[in-house]
């Protein structure tokens, strides 16, 4: 299993028999795509920092299949599955479950190749500074985030991709910290920070000691390597 950070909330996960691609809206280097291996594109919602119709131009030699949140209009003649929150799909040796969000679309939980993967999409504790967004009810944002996670409890968490959005100022760490304290994933991979890679270290410093591995990476399209992954 190899994990590559594409950009923002975009990640590519390679297994021997398949590749999973999440929330990609930027160009994927050809070196990360493998001919004659199925590639599954997961899109949590239609925001422009999570989705681009460019994914549908993926060459058919990569056997692309698309699993899209139902807020996205169907614009492809490729193999496409549209799915809503709280649904289940068996596909390509994957057990796919969807959950809700605190923004638009959904989140994905996938069991495949003896691994468990959760991609939160925009499921986040949106604790905005009310001076910047006075319309935000911060108490309600906290309740909504925690209520959504209650629906996921009981599922084993191995790899979790969770937002650590620097726009939230001093509250950027809250979702990630709460997720770790609630689910104790083996690995939590920060996302949704554009190119502010320094926030990963700030997040680790903020939450302190934890058994959960939080890998640091510093560039787009970088392979995320740690004690849990295979280095070549």
């Amino acid at each position: 299993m190899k994990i590559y950070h594409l950009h923002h909330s975009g990640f590519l996960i390679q297994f021997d028999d398949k590749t999973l691609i999440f929330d990609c809206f930027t160009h994927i280097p050809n070196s990360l795509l493998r001919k004659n291996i199925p590639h599954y594109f997961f899109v949590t919602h239609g925001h422009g920092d999570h989705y681009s119709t460019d994914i549908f131009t993926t060459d058919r030699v990569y056997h692309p299949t698309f699993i899209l949140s139902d807020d996205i209009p169907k614009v492809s003649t490729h193999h496409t599955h549209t799915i809503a929150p709280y649904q289940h799909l068996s596909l390509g040796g994957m057990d796919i479950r969807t959950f809700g969000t605190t923004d638009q679309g959904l989140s994905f939980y996938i069991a495949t190749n003896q691994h468990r993967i959760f991609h939160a999409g925009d499921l986040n504790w949106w604790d905005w500074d009310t001076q910047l967004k006075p319309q935000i009810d911060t108490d309600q944002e906290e309740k909504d985030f925690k209520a959504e996670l209650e629906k996921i409890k009981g599922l084993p968490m191995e790899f979790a991709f969770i937002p650590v959005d620097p726009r939230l100022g001093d509250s950027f760490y809250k979702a990630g910290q709460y997720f770790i304290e609630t689910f104790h994933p083996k690995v939590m991979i920060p996302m949704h920070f554009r190119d502010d890679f320094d926030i990963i270290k700030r997040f680790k410093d903020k939450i302190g000691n934890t058994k959960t591995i939080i890998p640091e990476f510093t560039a787009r399209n970088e392979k995320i390597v740690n004690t849990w992954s295979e280095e070549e």
Side-chain angles (χ1 to χ4, degrees):
M1 177 183 184
K2 302 177 181 68
I3 301 176
Y4 295 84
H5 169 67
L6 299 176
H7 178 46
H8 199 48
S9 296
F11 292 87
L12 182 149
I13 304 176
Q14 290 181 348
F15 295 103
D16 289 341
D17 62 337
K18 66 175 74 77
T19 293
L20 281 53
I21 300 166
F22 293 89
D23 281 5
C24 176
F25 68 103
T26 53
H27 174 71
I28 303 174
N30 288 337
S31 60
L32 299 185
L33 303 175
R34 299 173 294 164
K35 292 182 180 180
N36 302 315
I37 294 289
H39 289 65
Y40 297 93
F41 287 79
F42 294 85
V43 184
T44 61
H45 62 292
H47 287 168
D49 61 339
H50 293 256
Y51 166 68
S52 168
T53 56
D54 288 349
I55 61 176
F56 300 122
T57 66
T58 303
D59 195 300
R60 291 183 184 272
V61 72
Y62 302 117
H63 301 283
T65 295
F66 305 91
I67 303 96
L68 310 179
S69 168
D70 67 352
D71 68 297
I72 299 171
K74 186 174 182 180
V75 296
S76 171
T77 58
H78 289 70
H79 294 102
T80 302
H81 301 265
T82 298
I83 194 165
Y86 317 115
Q87 291 189 341
H88 176 265
L89 175 67
S90 294
L91 179 69
M94 297 178 289
D95 185 76
I96 302 166
R97 302 189 195 186
T98 58
F99 291 92
T101 181
T102 47
D103 196 338
Q104 184 171 315
L106 48 75
S107 48
F108 283 108
Y109 179 88
I110 301 167
T112 188
N113 297 64
Q114 299 182 326
H115 291 291
R116 304 292 185 271
I117 300 162
F118 180 74
H119 190 289
D122 268 355
L123 172 58
N124 194 12
W125 184 339
W126 295 109
D127 188 23
W128 291 97
D129 184 339
T130 54
Q131 292 185 344
L132 296 176
K133 295 198 174 188
Q135 75 279 14
I136 293 293
D137 182 339
T138 55
D139 289 340
Q140 189 62 48
E141 292 292 337
E142 177 179 356
K143 291 177 183 177
D144 290 347
F145 175 71
K146 292 181 177 179
E148 195 57 47
L149 292 192
E150 281 293 320
K151 301 170 186 175
I152 308 171
K153 277 188 175 179
L155 294 175
M157 285 289 173
E158 188 180 3
F159 295 91
F161 298 82
I162 307 296
V164 290
D165 194 321
R167 298 175 301 165
L168 295 176
D170 292 341
S171 297
F172 77 95
Y173 69 95
K174 286 187 174 181
Q177 182 181 58
Y178 186 82
F179 196 93
I180 288 173
E181 291 174 348
T182 303
F183 294 101
H184 309 287
K186 180 179 179 182
V187 182
M188 197 212 94
I189 299 174
M191 66 177 188
H192 209 273
F193 53 76
R194 294 284 182 171
D195 291 305
D196 186 3
F197 293 94
D198 290 341
I199 202 167
I200 301 175
K201 185 177 186 306
R202 299 201 304 273
F203 177 73
K204 294 176 72 170
D205 290 344
K206 186 72 175 180
I207 67 171
N209 292 331
T210 175
K211 291 183 178 179
T212 295
I213 297 167
I214 304 168
E216 294 187 46
F217 43 100
T218 59
R220 300 185 189 186
N221 305 317
E222 180 178 325
K223 183 178 178 182
I224 300 173
V225 178
N226 213 307
T227 55
W228 44 266
S229 64
E230 300 173 0
E231 184 172 7
E232 294 182 348

mmCIF file of all heavy atoms in Angstrom, residues 73-94:
data_model
loop_
_atom_site.group_PDB
_atom_site.id
_atom_site.type_symbol
_atom_site.label_atom_id
_atom_site.label_comp_id
_atom_site.label_asym_id
_atom_site.label_seq_id
_atom_site.Cartn_x
_atom_site.Cartn_y
_atom_site.Cartn_z
ATOM 1 N N PRO A 73 -23.641 16.766 -10.780
ATOM 2 C CA PRO A 73 -24.400 16.371 -11.985
ATOM 3 C C PRO A 73 -23.648 15.301 -12.762
ATOM 4 O O PRO A 73 -22.416 15.325 -12.848
ATOM 5 C CB PRO A 73 -24.488 17.683 -12.790
ATOM 6 C CG PRO A 73 -24.201 18.766 -11.813
ATOM 7 C CD PRO A 73 -23.275 18.183 -10.791
ATOM 8 N N LYS A 74 -24.374 14.349 -13.337
ATOM 9 C CA LYS A 74 -23.740 13.305 -14.128
ATOM 10 C C LYS A 74 -23.309 13.892 -15.466
ATOM 11 O O LYS A 74 -24.140 14.335 -16.258
ATOM 12 C CB LYS A 74 -24.685 12.136 -14.335
ATOM 13 C CG LYS A 74 -24.026 10.949 -15.032
ATOM 14 C CD LYS A 74 -24.934 9.739 -15.093
ATOM 15 C CE LYS A 74 -24.224 8.560 -15.759
ATOM 16 N NZ LYS A 74 -25.084 7.358 -15.826
ATOM 17 N N VAL A 75 -22.000 13.897 -15.712
ATOM 18 C CA VAL A 75 -21.479 14.506 -16.934
ATOM 19 C C VAL A 75 -20.566 13.549 -17.685
ATOM 20 O O VAL A 75 -19.898 13.947 -18.624
ATOM 21 C CB VAL A 75 -20.709 15.811 -16.627
ATOM 22 C CG1 VAL A 75 -21.641 16.847 -16.032
ATOM 23 C CG2 VAL A 75 -19.534 15.542 -15.669
ATOM 24 N N SER A 76 -20.534 12.291 -17.288
ATOM 25 C CA SER A 76 -19.589 11.351 -17.875
ATOM 26 C C SER A 76 -20.307 10.141 -18.449
ATOM 27 O O SER A 76 -21.334 9.698 -17.929
ATOM 28 C CB SER A 76 -18.582 10.884 -16.818
ATOM 29 O OG SER A 76 -17.793 9.817 -17.306
ATOM 30 N N THR A 77 -19.740 9.599 -19.530
ATOM 31 C CA THR A 77 -20.229 8.347 -20.085
ATOM 32 C C THR A 77 -19.390 7.170 -19.603
ATOM 33 O O THR A 77 -19.603 6.039 -20.026
ATOM 34 C CB THR A 77 -20.206 8.397 -21.619
ATOM 35 O OG1 THR A 77 -18.860 8.654 -22.062
ATOM 36 C CG2 THR A 77 -21.120 9.493 -22.137
ATOM 37 N N HIS A 78 -18.399 7.451 -18.731
ATOM 38 C CA HIS A 78 -17.567 6.400 -18.169
ATOM 39 C C HIS A 78 -18.387 5.566 -17.174
ATOM 40 O O HIS A 78 -19.557 5.854 -16.902
ATOM 41 C CB HIS A 78 -16.356 7.000 -17.451
ATOM 42 C CG HIS A 78 -15.343 7.601 -18.374
ATOM 43 N ND1 HIS A 78 -15.563 8.755 -19.086
ATOM 44 C CD2 HIS A 78 -14.087 7.210 -18.693
ATOM 45 C CE1 HIS A 78 -14.499 9.063 -19.802
ATOM 46 N NE2 HIS A 78 -13.578 8.132 -19.579
ATOM 47 N N HIS A 79 -17.743 4.569 -16.599
ATOM 48 C CA HIS A 79 -18.365 3.801 -15.526
ATOM 49 C C HIS A 79 -18.497 4.721 -14.305
ATOM 50 O O HIS A 79 -17.502 5.070 -13.669
ATOM 51 C CB HIS A 79 -17.498 2.585 -15.177
ATOM 52 C CG HIS A 79 -17.418 1.583 -16.279
ATOM 53 N ND1 HIS A 79 -16.326 1.469 -17.099
ATOM 54 C CD2 HIS A 79 -18.306 0.650 -16.699
ATOM 55 C CE1 HIS A 79 -16.529 0.505 -17.981
ATOM 56 N NE2 HIS A 79 -17.722 -0.004 -17.762
ATOM 57 N N THR A 80 -19.721 5.121 -14.006
ATOM 58 C CA THR A 80 -19.962 6.107 -12.956
ATOM 59 C C THR A 80 -21.043 5.609 -12.013
ATOM 60 O O THR A 80 -22.081 5.097 -12.446
ATOM 61 C CB THR A 80 -20.395 7.456 -13.562
ATOM 62 O OG1 THR A 80 -19.383 7.925 -14.448
ATOM 63 C CG2 THR A 80 -20.603 8.494 -12.465
ATOM 64 N N HIS A 81 -20.772 5.755 -10.717
ATOM 65 C CA HIS A 81 -21.748 5.411 -9.688
ATOM 66 C C HIS A 81 -22.029 6.681 -8.883
ATOM 67 O O HIS A 81 -21.099 7.316 -8.380
ATOM 68 C CB HIS A 81 -21.206 4.320 -8.764
ATOM 69 C CG HIS A 81 -20.847 3.056 -9.471
ATOM 70 N ND1 HIS A 81 -21.708 1.984 -9.577
ATOM 71 C CD2 HIS A 81 -19.706 2.695 -10.129
ATOM 72 C CE1 HIS A 81 -21.122 1.019 -10.256
ATOM 73 N NE2 HIS A 81 -19.907 1.423 -10.612
ATOM 74 N N THR A 82 -23.289 7.040 -8.772
ATOM 75 C CA THR A 82 -23.694 8.178 -7.956
ATOM 76 C C THR A 82 -24.256 7.646 -6.646
ATOM 77 O O THR A 82 -25.061 6.722 -6.634
ATOM 78 C CB THR A 82 -24.749 9.019 -8.687
ATOM 79 O OG1 THR A 82 -24.171 9.528 -9.905
ATOM 80 C CG2 THR A 82 -25.186 10.190 -7.823
ATOM 81 N N ILE A 83 -23.819 8.275 -5.544
ATOM 82 C CA ILE A 83 -24.169 7.733 -4.235
ATOM 83 C C ILE A 83 -24.480 8.877 -3.266
ATOM 84 O O ILE A 83 -23.893 9.962 -3.359
ATOM 85 C CB ILE A 83 -23.024 6.838 -3.704
ATOM 86 C CG1 ILE A 83 -23.474 5.988 -2.527
ATOM 87 C CG2 ILE A 83 -21.781 7.664 -3.379
ATOM 88 C CD1 ILE A 83 -22.512 4.843 -2.198
ATOM 89 N N ALA A 84 -25.410 8.638 -2.378
ATOM 90 C CA ALA A 84 -25.826 9.613 -1.374
ATOM 91 C C ALA A 84 -25.257 9.220 -0.010
ATOM 92 O O ALA A 84 -24.743 8.110 0.168
ATOM 93 C CB ALA A 84 -27.348 9.679 -1.315
ATOM 94 N N PRO A 85 -25.332 10.113 0.968
ATOM 95 C CA PRO A 85 -24.913 9.737 2.328
ATOM 96 C C PRO A 85 -25.716 8.556 2.859
ATOM 97 O O PRO A 85 -26.876 8.353 2.494
ATOM 98 C CB PRO A 85 -25.186 11.005 3.139
ATOM 99 C CG PRO A 85 -25.157 12.119 2.148
ATOM 100 C CD PRO A 85 -25.724 11.536 0.888
ATOM 101 N N TYR A 86 -25.076 7.748 3.690
ATOM 102 C CA TYR A 86 -25.686 6.625 4.403
ATOM 103 C C TYR A 86 -26.133 5.526 3.447
ATOM 104 O O TYR A 86 -27.180 4.909 3.625
ATOM 105 C CB TYR A 86 -26.848 7.107 5.288
ATOM 106 C CG TYR A 86 -26.523 8.359 6.039
ATOM 107 C CD1 TYR A 86 -27.211 9.550 5.781
ATOM 108 C CD2 TYR A 86 -25.480 8.392 6.970
ATOM 109 C CE1 TYR A 86 -26.887 10.716 6.451
ATOM 110 C CE2 TYR A 86 -25.147 9.557 7.638
ATOM 111 C CZ TYR A 86 -25.850 10.718 7.373
ATOM 112 O OH TYR A 86 -25.513 11.877 8.015
ATOM 113 N N GLN A 87 -25.303 5.296 2.442
ATOM 114 C CA GLN A 87 -25.557 4.204 1.517
ATOM 115 C C GLN A 87 -24.369 3.254 1.502
ATOM 116 O O GLN A 87 -23.315 3.527 2.069
ATOM 117 C CB GLN A 87 -25.848 4.740 0.109
ATOM 118 C CG GLN A 87 -27.166 5.484 -0.005
ATOM 119 C CD GLN A 87 -27.548 5.807 -1.440
ATOM 120 O OE1 GLN A 87 -26.721 5.804 -2.345
ATOM 121 N NE2 GLN A 87 -28.834 6.082 -1.661
ATOM 122 N N HIS A 88 -24.569 2.124 0.814
ATOM 123 C CA HIS A 88 -23.566 1.071 0.767
ATOM 124 C C HIS A 88 -23.388 0.619 -0.670
ATOM 125 O O HIS A 88 -24.359 0.527 -1.427
ATOM 126 C CB HIS A 88 -24.000 -0.099 1.654
ATOM 127 C CG HIS A 88 -23.072 -1.268 1.605
ATOM 128 N ND1 HIS A 88 -23.272 -2.347 0.765
ATOM 129 C CD2 HIS A 88 -21.934 -1.542 2.287
ATOM 130 C CE1 HIS A 88 -22.298 -3.222 0.940
ATOM 131 N NE2 HIS A 88 -21.469 -2.768 1.847
ATOM 132 N N LEU A 89 -22.136 0.350 -1.050
ATOM 133 C CA LEU A 89 -21.830 -0.096 -2.405
ATOM 134 C C LEU A 89 -20.691 -1.103 -2.343
ATOM 135 O O LEU A 89 -19.658 -0.843 -1.712
ATOM 136 C CB LEU A 89 -21.432 1.108 -3.274
ATOM 137 C CG LEU A 89 -20.958 0.823 -4.704
ATOM 138 C CD1 LEU A 89 -22.106 0.266 -5.545
ATOM 139 C CD2 LEU A 89 -20.407 2.096 -5.343
ATOM 140 N N SER A 90 -20.854 -2.240 -2.978
ATOM 141 C CA SER A 90 -19.779 -3.221 -3.136
ATOM 142 C C SER A 90 -19.265 -3.118 -4.564
ATOM 143 O O SER A 90 -20.044 -3.260 -5.524
ATOM 144 C CB SER A 90 -20.289 -4.638 -2.857
ATOM 145 O OG SER A 90 -20.660 -4.779 -1.499
ATOM 146 N N LEU A 91 -17.963 -2.895 -4.698
ATOM 147 C CA LEU A 91 -17.407 -2.610 -6.017
ATOM 148 C C LEU A 91 -15.917 -2.931 -6.026
ATOM 149 O O LEU A 91 -15.183 -2.481 -5.142
ATOM 150 C CB LEU A 91 -17.619 -1.131 -6.355
ATOM 151 C CG LEU A 91 -17.082 -0.625 -7.688
ATOM 152 C CD1 LEU A 91 -17.886 -1.218 -8.854
ATOM 153 C CD2 LEU A 91 -17.153 0.912 -7.735
ATOM 154 N N GLY A 92 -15.468 -3.714 -6.994
ATOM 155 C CA GLY A 92 -14.046 -3.939 -7.190
ATOM 156 C C GLY A 92 -13.312 -4.467 -5.972
ATOM 157 O O GLY A 92 -12.165 -4.091 -5.727
ATOM 158 N N GLY A 93 -13.948 -5.331 -5.211
ATOM 159 C CA GLY A 93 -13.320 -5.840 -3.988
ATOM 160 C C GLY A 93 -13.323 -4.847 -2.848
ATOM 161 O O GLY A 93 -12.597 -5.034 -1.861
ATOM 162 N N MET A 94 -14.150 -3.811 -2.955
ATOM 163 C CA MET A 94 -14.252 -2.796 -1.908
ATOM 164 C C MET A 94 -15.641 -2.814 -1.288
ATOM 165 O O MET A 94 -16.647 -2.974 -1.987
ATOM 166 C CB MET A 94 -13.997 -1.396 -2.489
ATOM 167 C CG MET A 94 -12.614 -1.198 -3.060
ATOM 168 S SD MET A 94 -12.396 0.463 -3.785
ATOM 169 C CE MET A 94 -13.429 0.329 -5.254
#
